Amino acid sequence: MLNLHQCFRPRDEEIASKVIDGEAIIINLANGVYYSTDKVGALVWERLQAGYILDDVIRAVTDAYDVSPEQAESKVVELVEELLQGTLV
């Protein structure tokens, strides 16, 4: 389980990213793998770029969308784990 009081920053030296029309486009420059997210993923990505801790990212998702804190936590943790596996954060 991830520490919700931890900050997971994008690896800016190894990735290129842009949020366009509510979608985050992320490219791992080391291996050329391309990632894209939906609007929730874009919100999460923007908050990670801004240096938010996971707990604040979860709160932002809960505030922006009609989901429970538990649902938001589950989805945010799942996404951050995927970002970690892709060495994007």
Side-chain angles (χ1 to χ4, degrees):
M1 180 69 175
L2 298 177
N3 180 345
L4 300 184
H5 298 289
Q6 187 173 354
C7 178
F8 292 88
R9 299 296 302 255
R11 299 173 60 110
D12 291 331
E13 67 281 354
E14 296 179 18
I15 61 144
S17 68
K18 183 95 173 160
V19 175
I20 303 170
D21 294 329
E23 177 183 3
I25 308 298
I26 308 162
I27 301 170
N28 183 323
L29 299 174
N31 61 18
V33 176
Y34 165 93
Y35 301 85
S36 68
T37 70
D38 60 11
K39 291 181 182 189
V40 176
L43 173 66
V44 170
W45 184 253
E46 288 177 323
R47 295 306 192 274
L48 293 177
Q49 284 182 310
Y52 283 55
I53 63 170
L54 282 187
D55 196 41
D56 290 337
V57 174
I58 293 163
R59 192 170 304 113
V61 170
T62 302
D63 292 345
Y65 297 95
D66 186 24
V67 296
S68 71
E70 295 79 18
Q71 290 171 312
E73 180 179 334
S74 173
K75 292 301 180 184
V76 168
V77 166
E78 180 181 328
L79 177 57
V80 171
E81 286 174 342
E82 289 176 17
L83 294 172
L84 283 165
Q85 288 177 355
T87 63
L88 302 174
V89 295

